[in-house]
Amino acid sequence: MSDALMILINQIVTYGYYAMTLLFACALAWNLRKTRDPQEAVLYAVILIPFILRVLHVK
Amino acid sequence: MFAHAYMILGIVVAAFLAAKVLRLSTELSMLAAAFAAAVYHGVVWSGEFPLRHIVEGTFTYFDVCLIFISATFFMALVKESGGVAFIVRRIVGAFHSHRFICLLLLTFVMLIPGALTGSGATSVLTVGALVGSVLSAMGVDETRKAAAIFMTAAMSAAAPPINLWAMMAAAGANMPYVGFNGPLAVLSLLGALFSMFWLAGRASSDAHISREDALARLPEAPEGMNWLRVLLPFVVFGGLLAAGRIWPFDFPIIGLPMIFMLSACMVWLLSPVKLRVWRVLSDTVRNLLPLVGIMVVVGALIQILALSGARGVISLHVVILPLTTLFATLFIILPVSEGILQYAVAPLLGVPLIMLFNMKGMDPIVALSAMSVLWPLGDCLPPTAVIGRAAVMELHYEGRYYSDFVRACLIPMLFIAVCCTLFLIYSKQLAFLAV
């Protein structure tokens, strides 16, 4: 496989990971909105931190 | 420095216990402990609250979280598409009169979801009820049935390719997660097969499986489901996994989470019924909340312990322990600590232990594999008992939890503990398994 093609595929994979992280973050946020248990809500919010920062390319 | 580290450890334990007394969940109790330690360290040592380190710590096991969610999502889609019901019905239909083969295949059915996701709870939730129904039809009583489901689910969590304890401990010790498949497969297969045949090998009532009775207890597989539709996603998964290893320099690095998501896409494309993907994903995330939560929170706690020197103190105390003491006590300490701390125990205890074993000339891969099979045995112990409770709830078990259910698990647990201890003692001689 040529280098240029490998680089392109790896870039697609990287963006695929951002998309996957966004998808999981949306599912977490959806459940955060729906839960009525305050402890669960806090835990969802904490779990969301790395997902949001990764999607925003902050970390 | 030592006094400060001991103080931090004391604050962590006190804050954790106080939070538990206030009826906070284990995950939030650990978060409270991390915050209390961070506040003390900030006030006494650095002069500022180390928020950056807490946030940084939440990323420690981010890759493991992605694997966990994507793998469980994949298995949930397989179940939703009717694939699991199809496989179990085919096994019962073909081998109803061959108890040995039937139990053998049911053991593998129990092992696959946990092996792919790293979570025994996933095995219980996706295939536990179906396998339990078949065991009932085979004349296995309720207590032994629940114990067999729990033990095989616990072994499935330990089975390769995904063993979260080994992954977390290896990540903490800067050790690549490579070579674990052999020792993990030997130990988890031995444990699962012994448990299944010990607990369900003899029928307590009718010795012959009634085909009609067994099939009547199982949900129907959707029309149009066939072996091709069930197996193709697994072939895609295995193919992508193998391609990366066969052509390491000519194949793009896809990574396990993406491989699971591509396999999940195959399930969606091949499913004979319309899958409600978003509902399955949100249910998956909800079911995984305690497990993903604990990984995120433990990362933050470990970061604060490392920042304050407390992690070094724990490691120091572990690495000066005599090996004989460890060999004689680890089979008790590891399951009990798993019951208390869940996956958090792998970076907390596993990392210094692996460094000690490496220093003493033992094979770190075989030793960590043995510990990683001992840990899930504690998943039926208090206060968390995640898989034990899941098994009991899923099977609607009405017996007594400790005096019946846990007691029935003791002999298989002892067998697995002996095997793992032997693997620890003879890790150097068994190093050929770590290829």
mmCIF file of all heavy atoms in Angstrom, chain B residues 68 108 183 222 229 281 286 321 329 383 397 422 434:
data_model
loop_
_atom_site.group_PDB
_atom_site.id
_atom_site.type_symbol
_atom_site.label_atom_id
_atom_site.label_comp_id
_atom_site.label_asym_id
_atom_site.label_seq_id
_atom_site.Cartn_x
_atom_site.Cartn_y
_atom_site.Cartn_z
ATOM 1 N N PHE B 68 -14.660 -0.646 25.735
ATOM 2 C CA PHE B 68 -15.736 -1.206 26.545
ATOM 3 C C PHE B 68 -17.114 -0.870 25.943
ATOM 4 O O PHE B 68 -17.956 -1.752 25.743
ATOM 5 C CB PHE B 68 -15.603 -0.595 27.932
ATOM 6 C CG PHE B 68 -16.134 -1.449 29.021
ATOM 7 C CD1 PHE B 68 -16.378 -2.797 28.832
ATOM 8 C CD2 PHE B 68 -16.387 -0.908 30.261
ATOM 9 C CE1 PHE B 68 -16.862 -3.582 29.853
ATOM 10 C CE2 PHE B 68 -16.856 -1.680 31.297
ATOM 11 C CZ PHE B 68 -17.103 -3.018 31.086
ATOM 12 N N PHE B 108 -18.849 -21.985 25.693
ATOM 13 C CA PHE B 108 -18.265 -21.056 24.716
ATOM 14 C C PHE B 108 -19.218 -19.891 24.424
ATOM 15 O O PHE B 108 -18.773 -18.752 24.265
ATOM 16 C CB PHE B 108 -17.875 -21.788 23.434
ATOM 17 C CG PHE B 108 -16.611 -22.580 23.599
ATOM 18 C CD1 PHE B 108 -16.632 -23.962 23.612
ATOM 19 C CD2 PHE B 108 -15.391 -21.945 23.786
ATOM 20 C CE1 PHE B 108 -15.465 -24.698 23.801
ATOM 21 C CE2 PHE B 108 -14.223 -22.664 23.970
ATOM 22 C CZ PHE B 108 -14.256 -24.040 23.982
ATOM 23 N N PRO B 183 -1.685 -17.237 28.108
ATOM 24 C CA PRO B 183 -1.956 -17.572 29.511
ATOM 25 C C PRO B 183 -3.390 -17.272 29.939
ATOM 26 O O PRO B 183 -3.996 -18.053 30.700
ATOM 27 C CB PRO B 183 -0.960 -16.710 30.296
ATOM 28 C CG PRO B 183 -0.355 -15.765 29.339
ATOM 29 C CD PRO B 183 -0.560 -16.302 27.970
ATOM 30 N N PRO B 222 -35.541 -14.556 14.793
ATOM 31 C CA PRO B 222 -36.359 -13.918 13.753
ATOM 32 C C PRO B 222 -36.251 -14.663 12.412
ATOM 33 O O PRO B 222 -35.223 -15.282 12.125
ATOM 34 C CB PRO B 222 -35.773 -12.511 13.642
ATOM 35 C CG PRO B 222 -34.473 -12.552 14.330
ATOM 36 C CD PRO B 222 -34.480 -13.686 15.278
ATOM 37 N N ARG B 229 -25.556 -14.656 8.461
ATOM 38 C CA ARG B 229 -25.863 -13.362 9.088
ATOM 39 C C ARG B 229 -25.263 -13.259 10.498
ATOM 40 O O ARG B 229 -24.882 -12.179 10.939
ATOM 41 C CB ARG B 229 -27.384 -13.173 9.189
ATOM 42 C CG ARG B 229 -28.074 -12.922 7.861
ATOM 43 C CD ARG B 229 -29.580 -12.833 8.109
ATOM 44 N NE ARG B 229 -30.363 -12.879 6.903
ATOM 45 C CZ ARG B 229 -30.780 -11.803 6.252
ATOM 46 N NH1 ARG B 229 -30.467 -10.615 6.689
ATOM 47 N NH2 ARG B 229 -31.510 -11.932 5.169
ATOM 48 N N LEU B 281 -27.899 1.824 21.703
ATOM 49 C CA LEU B 281 -26.706 2.534 22.176
ATOM 50 C C LEU B 281 -26.966 3.215 23.522
ATOM 51 O O LEU B 281 -26.148 3.117 24.444
ATOM 52 C CB LEU B 281 -26.264 3.578 21.137
ATOM 53 C CG LEU B 281 -25.029 4.397 21.527
ATOM 54 C CD1 LEU B 281 -23.807 3.504 21.706
ATOM 55 C CD2 LEU B 281 -24.729 5.478 20.508
ATOM 56 N N ARG B 286 -26.284 3.237 29.412
ATOM 57 C CA ARG B 286 -26.904 3.217 30.747
ATOM 58 C C ARG B 286 -26.448 1.992 31.534
ATOM 59 O O ARG B 286 -26.110 2.083 32.701
ATOM 60 C CB ARG B 286 -28.433 3.248 30.629
ATOM 61 C CG ARG B 286 -29.098 3.629 31.941
ATOM 62 C CD ARG B 286 -30.589 3.746 31.842
ATOM 63 N NE ARG B 286 -31.214 2.506 31.428
ATOM 64 C CZ ARG B 286 -31.930 2.341 30.333
ATOM 65 N NH1 ARG B 286 -32.124 3.361 29.534
ATOM 66 N NH2 ARG B 286 -32.456 1.187 30.025
ATOM 67 N N LEU B 321 7.391 -6.758 50.134
ATOM 68 C CA LEU B 321 6.765 -7.956 50.718
ATOM 69 C C LEU B 321 7.488 -9.220 50.247
ATOM 70 O O LEU B 321 7.898 -9.307 49.085
ATOM 71 C CB LEU B 321 5.289 -8.045 50.286
ATOM 72 C CG LEU B 321 4.309 -7.117 50.986
ATOM 73 C CD1 LEU B 321 2.951 -7.222 50.293
ATOM 74 C CD2 LEU B 321 4.157 -7.453 52.448
ATOM 75 N N THR B 329 -1.217 -15.593 49.979
ATOM 76 C CA THR B 329 -2.378 -14.753 50.322
ATOM 77 C C THR B 329 -3.071 -14.108 49.122
ATOM 78 O O THR B 329 -4.221 -13.683 49.241
ATOM 79 C CB THR B 329 -1.943 -13.607 51.261
ATOM 80 O OG1 THR B 329 -0.851 -12.917 50.643
ATOM 81 C CG2 THR B 329 -1.513 -14.137 52.615
ATOM 82 N N PRO B 383 -18.704 -5.165 48.874
ATOM 83 C CA PRO B 383 -19.998 -4.492 48.790
ATOM 84 C C PRO B 383 -20.562 -4.361 47.371
ATOM 85 O O PRO B 383 -21.734 -4.078 47.213
ATOM 86 C CB PRO B 383 -19.684 -3.102 49.350
ATOM 87 C CG PRO B 383 -18.256 -2.868 48.999
ATOM 88 C CD PRO B 383 -17.586 -4.212 49.046
ATOM 89 N N TYR B 397 -33.329 -15.640 40.574
ATOM 90 C CA TYR B 397 -32.959 -16.630 41.586
ATOM 91 C C TYR B 397 -33.580 -16.234 42.925
ATOM 92 O O TYR B 397 -33.458 -15.084 43.359
ATOM 93 C CB TYR B 397 -31.431 -16.687 41.688
ATOM 94 C CG TYR B 397 -30.916 -17.615 42.755
ATOM 95 C CD1 TYR B 397 -31.117 -18.982 42.668
ATOM 96 C CD2 TYR B 397 -30.229 -17.123 43.863
ATOM 97 C CE1 TYR B 397 -30.641 -19.836 43.646
ATOM 98 C CE2 TYR B 397 -29.743 -17.968 44.839
ATOM 99 C CZ TYR B 397 -29.959 -19.324 44.722
ATOM 100 O OH TYR B 397 -29.489 -20.166 45.696
ATOM 101 N N LEU B 422 -0.542 -21.543 40.971
ATOM 102 C CA LEU B 422 0.512 -22.331 40.317
ATOM 103 C C LEU B 422 1.133 -21.556 39.157
ATOM 104 O O LEU B 422 2.344 -21.591 38.942
ATOM 105 C CB LEU B 422 -0.063 -23.665 39.821
ATOM 106 C CG LEU B 422 -0.380 -24.686 40.919
ATOM 107 C CD1 LEU B 422 -1.078 -25.908 40.336
ATOM 108 C CD2 LEU B 422 0.882 -25.118 41.643
ATOM 109 N N ALA B 434 3.271 -17.040 26.696
ATOM 110 C CA ALA B 434 3.143 -15.604 26.391
ATOM 111 C C ALA B 434 3.792 -15.272 25.065
ATOM 112 O O ALA B 434 4.866 -14.684 25.012
ATOM 113 C CB ALA B 434 3.780 -14.795 27.514
#
